[in-house]
Amino acid sequence: MRRLSLFALLCIAFPYLGYSQFGNESAVPYFRYSVTGGVGVNQLYGDLDKRQAGGSVYLRGNYFITHGLSVGLELQEGLLLGKDSIATDGVTRKATNLYHAAILGIRFQPIKFLQDDHLRRTEYRESVIKRTLNSVYIGAGIGVLHSLQWDKHRPEGLVPTPDNMSDSILVNNVLPAHQGRNHGFSYIVSTDLGFEIPLHSLKPNLLDSYVWNLVVNGQLNFSLDDELDGYSGTYAGNEHRDIYGLFSIGVNLRF
């Protein structure tokens, strides 16, 4: 009876031990954290018809839930610029928005997520181009942005207007096309697309505690209000919420 019990125990334990020895690689990445810093060029799409390029810097921290899927917090700072090509109410409207943003989002790398363990362990044998293609990601997030409009002048009701213009169209004594806030918070929805160019070999005999990548990223941020350019209101030509795009290059450290 004891021999039979021992045999049954071995039959149960052997598959489990075999799975432990030869089973799938852990879903938890060896390098689970990353920090990325970079610079970029942005463009504001708002009420102003002459778009100008501005500059931005960012810092992002990521936590990898599993291979190819991460959650991160991104901090941005920059200048959003714009200008009208003609004057409105005797003043040429312009935006010089010093903004600060914080975005919480996820990023998904489809190829890395679907890679089997063997391909993941032997990826260092692939070319730089193949490893770059494997790193392509898409992302989405939500955030909050603080705007600070520099050098803002809003013509009020004292500006000469046509005789048939009623004072009733003024809002807080400001002409409609110049309504808006000089500072305040906006909520944004963010999407991005990018890839990582490896700056490391990943060879097992050379692998140390850090992995470096060059990150190329394109991002679109959709404001839930109409205040990124400093102008809002219900008048012709102001039917859409503000958007800004950001193209950036950064250096990523994964550890």
Side-chain angles (χ1 to χ4, degrees):
M1 185 64 180
R2 289 182 179 178
R3 291 181 179 179
L4 184 60
S5 299
L6 180 60
F7 178 75
L9 181 62
L10 289 174
C11 288
I12 296 172
F14 183 77
Y16 175 77
L17 294 173
Y19 179 82
S20 300
Q21 181 72 23
F22 305 107
N24 293 333
E25 183 178 304
S26 169
V28 178
Y30 182 72
F31 298 103
R32 197 157 191 177
Y33 306 92
S34 74
V35 176
T36 308
V39 298
V41 177
N42 66 58
Q43 192 164 74
L44 175 64
Y45 301 89
D47 305 321
L48 309 178
D49 57 18
K50 190 175 181 181
R51 301 185 180 100
Q52 298 173 308
S56 297
V57 297
Y58 77 91
L59 179 67
R60 183 183 180 97
N62 262 31
Y63 173 79
F64 284 81
I65 300 170
T66 185
H67 297 288
L69 181 63
S70 64
V71 59
L73 177 65
E74 182 171 321
L75 304 177
Q76 286 184 19
E77 181 180 38
L79 279 176
L80 299 175
L81 304 174
K83 189 176 182 180
D84 268 345
S85 55
I86 60 174
T88 302
D89 303 320
V91 175
T92 301
R93 302 189 308 170
K94 62 180 179 179
T96 308
N97 182 1
L98 174 62
Y99 79 93
H100 299 80
I103 303 170
L104 180 65
I106 59 172
R107 281 183 175 171
F108 177 59
Q109 297 171 295
I111 297 178
K112 286 188 176 292
F113 183 81
L114 297 173
Q115 269 182 337
D116 62 34
D117 298 339
H118 173 71
L119 290 177
R120 187 174 295 118
R121 289 192 298 267
T122 59
E123 189 176 6
Y124 68 91
R125 299 174 185 172
E126 303 289 351
S127 67
V128 172
I129 294 177
K130 179 67 178 296
R131 290 159 62 194
T132 298
L133 290 175
N134 288 350
S135 74
V136 171
Y137 62 82
I138 56 175
I142 57 173
V144 61
L145 181 148
H146 182 264
S147 297
L148 178 60
Q149 303 290 343
W150 284 6
D151 191 26
K152 185 60 61 182
H153 175 61
R154 301 189 186 280
E156 299 185 351
L158 297 178
V159 174
T161 58
D163 295 337
N164 61 354
M165 182 178 288
S166 170
D167 289 341
S168 62
I169 70 169
L170 300 178
V171 176
N172 295 326
N173 206 36
V174 176
L175 294 170
H178 298 271
Q179 298 169 29
R181 297 180 303 183
N182 292 334
H183 58 85
F185 288 94
S186 301
Y187 293 103
I188 58 176
V189 175
S190 177
T191 61
D192 55 7
L193 173 68
F195 56 87
E196 300 171 348
I197 302 174
L199 301 177
H200 55 85
S201 66
L202 274 184
K203 292 182 178 179
N205 61 325
L206 297 177
L207 194 60
D208 56 18
S209 301
Y210 307 102
V211 172
W212 295 88
N213 297 287
L214 187 66
V215 182
V216 179
N217 185 68
Q219 187 180 83
L220 276 178
N221 298 287
F222 302 85
S223 173
L224 299 184
D225 61 22
D226 188 33
E227 295 289 352
L228 299 189
D229 58 9
Y231 299 97
S232 60
T234 54
Y235 54 88
N238 190 35
E239 296 88 3
H240 306 290
R241 294 173 179 172
D242 295 337
I243 302 170
Y244 76 93
L246 173 61
F247 177 79
S248 64
I249 297 178
V251 176
N252 171 280
L253 171 63
R254 190 163 171 182
F255 55 94

